Amino acid sequence: MPLPFSLTYNPNQLKAGHRYAVSARIEADGKLLWINSEQHSVTLDGQDPSPLRIRLEPVHTGAPIIH
């Protein structure tokens, strides 16, 4: 299920020659439920895809899932 998000940053804090990536996680009641497992590099030069799609994977806690 797609969840929209926005990311704001100060372009003056970007450093030439550095690499940047976006990560995502979903938590509920302080517990990690979903997290990305792939790196999502970004250039932050206006050429990144929009919308940026980040696939999240469920975190396996070993506890049984009750439906």
Side-chain angles (χ1 to χ4, degrees):
M1 150 182 28
L3 298 173
F5 68 93
S6 63
L7 175 65
T8 57
Y9 61 93
N10 181 344
N12 294 325
Q13 292 182 321
L14 300 178
K15 297 185 180 185
H18 284 219
R19 297 183 332 171
Y20 296 92
V22 175
S23 63
R25 59 192 294 141
I26 297 175
E27 297 180 3
D29 298 324
K31 295 179 183 171
L32 180 61
L33 302 176
W34 297 80
I35 194 162
N36 65 295
S37 60
E38 298 177 1
Q39 180 173 328
H40 296 276
S41 297
V42 290
T43 58
L44 303 175
D45 63 359
Q47 300 301 311
D48 291 305
S50 181
L52 180 62
R53 296 181 185 269
I54 301 173
R55 180 180 302 269
L56 300 181
E57 304 288 335
V59 173
H60 299 287
T61 63
I65 298 175
I66 300 172
H67 295 280

